[in-house]
Amino acid sequence: MANAVTSHPVIAALLAIVVTLLGRFVQKGYKVRKAVHGAPGPPHSWIWGHLLVMNELMTSGEVPIKVHPHVTPLAFRQKYKLGPYFYLDFWPFGPVMLCCADPELGAQFTTLHSTRKHPEVVTTMQTIAGPGDLVSTSGSHWRKWRSVFNPGFAAQHLMSLVPGIVDDCKVFAEVLTALAEAGKPFRMEEYATRLTIDVIGKVVLNMRFDTQTGSNPMVNALRDQIFWIPNDTAMDPFKPYYPRGIYHRWQNSRTINNYLGEVLDKRFQEILHEKSADESTSSKERKRAIIDLAVESYDKEADSKTHQTTRLSSDFRRNAITQIRVFLFAGHDTTSAAICYALYYLSKDPSALSKIRHEHDAVLGPVEQTEEALKRDPYLISKLPYTTAVIKEVLRLNPAASSIRAADSQTHLTDPKTGEPLIMVPDMMLWLLHWSMHRDPEIWGPTVNTFNPDRFLPENAATLPEAYWRPFERGTRNCIGQDLAMIESRVALALVVRQFKFTAAFDAVNQMAGDGTMYGKDPKYREGRQELLGDEAYPVLVGTAKPREGMPMRVKLAA
């Protein structure tokens, strides 16, 4: 055997490469296992790390099979009586993770030393939006494009856009009326998402996508793109490389970019026309859309006059398309889910429903006058403290995501109580767990899993653990669209909670399985345990965190 190898140099070289790579693999594995073994966390195996305990958790029925991953650390913490931070080791199928539910520790790697976003976040966001997005990028590129879009997302400017948001929410109410007349169960998330996309089209581009009343190729591609995000690689490490998924992601991205590019070019020509038609008023008119302010801000940043040319600069156009894709995606993540969960929880809590309806009666007047009242005085939504509390409680119970960073050579973390240095592993994922912080009974009390908007009323502000409520994250890397999400959610509730009566329709999920939506494509979503913490509307991973089965509901006109 030895003579055969030595007589064939190519075989010998290949064998040497294999042995070397295998040796490095074993050496790295030993270093990882040695670092994590004995550290805070679930029972750890020298051979399997935490893969076995994860498999046990997911197959034992303790949590639903398709529950969103940000739920599992809290399940581990409660099962094994762990502290506010601990380690999970899924090498080589996933990164070593520091799971953190302590805002003081989290501040060490998000604020005091703002670490870069983890490569898994970068990969996911590039699939969704393309390179250079505001979620996963950092450094000078992030600062530049954040400053370009900041003026358009300022709260004062967004309030001027409320009349347009009201128009889109009116269409939403009309769609719900048709669903009520049809009398069939439907997936609320599908319709809430189309609402958020129409709102984003209006406030960002001053364009009507009209996705609520018809099919839109860009929206269809966006929904399909989310379905094909390869973000379940811990269970299937080869998922990003399946040819079918690669093709779908490429084709969807091409469709979205072409559509948004044409819309962006059209809006830019309208800006030029407005400016040339009436120089004295065009600036005021152009500030009606976020993209108009972004163009002006970009001109200042780049020290050029984009609006004096007949075409957008290639740099602005490319990056604007990327960021608009981020805004559309964020609508899936936060606003559409918040609307779904708000209607769900209110339907199960007659007292809360009565309170929010009474508030709307007192502030907005009769139902039929709500639209006109909000258009006449958009700041009325700032006079709805209980409505705001409902949305904040919804976001506490069901945050859209968490903050995921990556450790680097400059990352040195310490225990907030003892000051002892924490174990660091190269490229370790630093996972700031919003779900765990929002569901911590030591922080929120024994009613932690109960829908209770009263916690967020102004009179209870002194007792509110603000550092533990972070659906939009905090600090400089907070969500740029958080004010828009809160405004849109309040307007949507103002236009529908008094008009309609909603009930959950989880009894009809099998009936809706063949409806062609992304929820109906995978039967695993309907297998095994179908509740979490006593709630059947738990978050699932469909590219992002979404209500199970798209929040199936029935709707009737309110009496």
Side-chain angles (χ1 to χ4, degrees):
M1 178 67 179
N3 289 335
V5 172
T6 56
S7 63
H8 293 81
V10 174
I11 295 178
L14 290 174
L15 183 60
I17 292 173
V18 170
V19 171
T20 300
L21 292 176
L22 181 60
R24 290 180 178 177
F25 179 83
V26 172
Q27 182 183 38
K28 181 176 181 180
Y30 174 75
K31 287 183 178 180
V32 169
R33 297 287 190 261
K34 183 179 179 181
V36 179
H37 198 74
H44 184 261
S45 166
W46 276 99
I47 298 177
W48 301 105
H50 288 122
L51 290 168
L52 293 182
V53 293
M54 173 59 83
N55 182 69
E56 178 186 354
L57 180 71
M58 301 306 298
T59 59
S60 64
E62 295 176 66
V63 297
I65 295 173
K66 283 290 189 176
V67 73
H68 193 280
H70 68 201
V71 169
T72 56
L74 180 61
F76 278 132
R77 183 181 176 187
Q78 294 176 338
K79 180 176 182 178
Y80 297 105
K81 304 295 188 289
L82 301 173
Y85 68 85
F86 58 90
Y87 296 82
L88 290 176
D89 171 15
F90 299 133
W91 187 89
F93 299 108
V96 176
M97 305 176 183
L98 173 63
C99 299
C100 173
D102 184 324
E104 190 174 348
L105 173 58
Q108 294 182 34
F109 58 83
T110 61
T111 305
L112 300 178
H113 172 54
S114 185
T115 54
R116 61 187 171 89
K117 295 299 180 77
H118 193 274
E120 290 199 2
V121 178
V122 176
T123 300
T124 298
M125 290 308 303
Q126 285 188 354
T127 300
I128 293 166
D133 67 277
L134 281 173
V135 174
S136 67
T137 193
S138 58
S140 59
H141 181 88
W142 176 84
R143 288 191 293 272
K144 172 183 176 179
W145 289 100
R146 177 76 181 222
S147 67
V148 164
F149 281 95
N150 267 338
F153 282 96
Q156 184 176 0
H157 174 68
L158 291 173
M159 291 303 291
S160 71
L161 305 179
V162 166
I165 296 174
V166 171
D167 287 337
D168 287 319
C169 289
K170 180 184 178 183
V171 175
F172 182 54
E174 292 169 351
V175 170
L176 291 175
T177 299
L179 290 168
E181 293 172 351
K184 296 180 179 179
F186 61 95
R187 303 186 196 269
M188 177 61 77
E189 192 272 338
E190 291 283 328
Y191 296 94
T193 292
R194 292 178 181 277
L195 165 63
T196 63
I197 288 174
D198 278 356
V199 168
I200 291 168
K202 182 65 177 177
V203 303
V204 175
L205 295 165
N206 197 28
M207 299 290 290
R208 289 207 167 276
F209 289 156
D210 292 326
T211 65
Q212 296 188 84
T213 55
S215 180
N216 183 289
M218 184 272 295
V219 176
N220 295 338
L222 178 65
R223 299 288 278 174
D224 194 56
Q225 187 79 333
I226 291 173
F227 177 79
W228 288 104
I229 295 173
N231 57 0
D232 197 15
T233 54
M235 304 302 293
D236 184 358
F238 302 105
K239 192 173 183 179
Y241 310 107
Y242 293 152
R244 188 181 178 195
I246 291 173
Y247 171 76
H248 275 277
R249 291 190 291 273
W250 171 81
Q251 182 62 46
N252 289 331
S253 187
R254 185 169 177 266
T255 299
I256 296 168
N257 285 347
N258 288 342
Y259 183 94
L260 291 179
E262 291 178 5
V263 169
L264 192 59
D265 290 340
K266 180 180 178 181
R267 179 57 195 154
F268 183 67
Q269 292 304 314
E270 290 174 351
I271 293 173
L272 293 179
H273 177 73
E274 290 168 3
K275 185 177 189 303
S276 60
D278 188 349
E279 184 71 31
S280 64
T281 61
S282 63
S283 177
K284 182 177 180 180
E285 291 298 317
R286 286 187 285 117
K287 289 185 180 181
R288 296 296 293 173
I290 288 173
I291 198 66
D292 304 354
L293 293 182
V295 168
E296 294 176 3
S297 180
Y298 176 82
D299 289 339
K300 296 176 183 177
E301 180 77 20
D303 194 25
S304 62
K305 292 298 179 184
T306 303
H307 61 270
Q308 291 182 355
T309 68
T310 58
R311 297 178 61 186
L312 284 170
S313 74
S314 59
D315 178 65
F316 180 87
R317 188 178 188 274
R318 180 179 64 256
N319 281 282
I321 289 173
T322 295
Q323 308 319 330
I324 293 169
R325 288 178 63 170
V326 171
F327 304 150
L328 291 168
F329 170 70
H332 286 71
D333 251 4
T334 303
T335 313
S336 63
I339 293 170
C340 290
Y341 278 117
L343 297 177
Y344 168 74
Y345 287 126
L346 288 170
S347 73
K348 294 168 66 69
D349 190 332
S351 174
L353 180 60
S354 177
K355 289 179 181 178
I356 195 171
R357 284 176 168 175
H358 177 75
E359 179 176 79
H360 292 177
D361 287 340
V363 177
L364 303 175
V367 174
E368 61 274 11
Q369 296 179 17
T370 301
E371 176 190 352
E372 182 58 34
L374 287 173
K375 286 185 175 181
R376 184 174 60 252
D377 183 6
Y379 284 90
L380 284 176
I381 64 170
S382 300
K383 300 176 182 179
L384 300 173
Y386 193 78
T387 305
T388 301
V390 165
I391 298 167
K392 287 185 175 182
E393 176 71 341
V394 163
L395 294 173
R396 181 188 71 82
L397 289 169
N398 294 283
S402 299
S403 182
I404 303 177
R405 304 296 185 94
D408 54 37
S409 59
Q410 301 300 313
T411 308
H412 304 287
L413 306 179
T414 60
D415 185 302
K417 293 184 178 179
T418 67
E420 292 293 318
L422 302 188
I423 296 168
M424 302 303 297
V425 178
D427 299 319
M428 180 169 64
M429 178 185 284
L430 307 174
W431 196 359
L432 187 57
L433 300 161
H434 297 175
W435 174 278
S436 294
M437 286 189 280
H438 290 190
R439 296 274 187 159
D440 189 341
E442 296 182 10
I443 303 301
W444 298 93
T447 62
V448 62
N449 295 319
T450 302
F451 175 67
N452 179 18
D454 288 1
R455 338 176 182 262
F456 289 96
L457 290 176
E459 57 264 32
N460 297 324
T463 61
L464 187 68
E466 290 188 10
Y468 286 84
W469 186 80
R470 48 205 312 142
F472 303 110
E473 231 336 271
R474 293 176 175 271
T476 57
R477 294 301 300 254
N478 63 0
C479 174
I480 191 173
Q482 59 183 296
D483 288 323
L484 176 59
M486 292 298 296
I487 290 171
E488 181 183 351
S489 298
R490 283 180 287 185
V491 172
L493 293 183
L495 264 68
V496 303
V497 295
R498 291 183 291 172
Q499 289 196 58
F500 304 98
K501 178 182 179 181
F502 300 92
T503 55
F506 287 99
D507 60 306
V509 294
N510 291 325
Q511 174 185 338
M512 295 187 290
D515 62 2
T517 65
M518 56 187 178
Y519 300 99
K521 293 180 181 179
D522 189 346
K524 289 184 179 179
Y525 286 102
R526 293 174 289 281
E527 296 177 2
R529 181 173 180 171
Q530 295 294 294
E531 62 87 23
L532 177 70
L533 301 173
D535 199 337
E536 56 188 352
Y538 56 82
V540 298
L541 179 63
V542 185
T544 62
K546 298 183 181 298
R548 170 189 161 222
E549 292 291 342
M551 193 63 80
M553 281 190 161
R554 296 181 177 90
V555 62
K556 295 180 180 179
L557 295 175

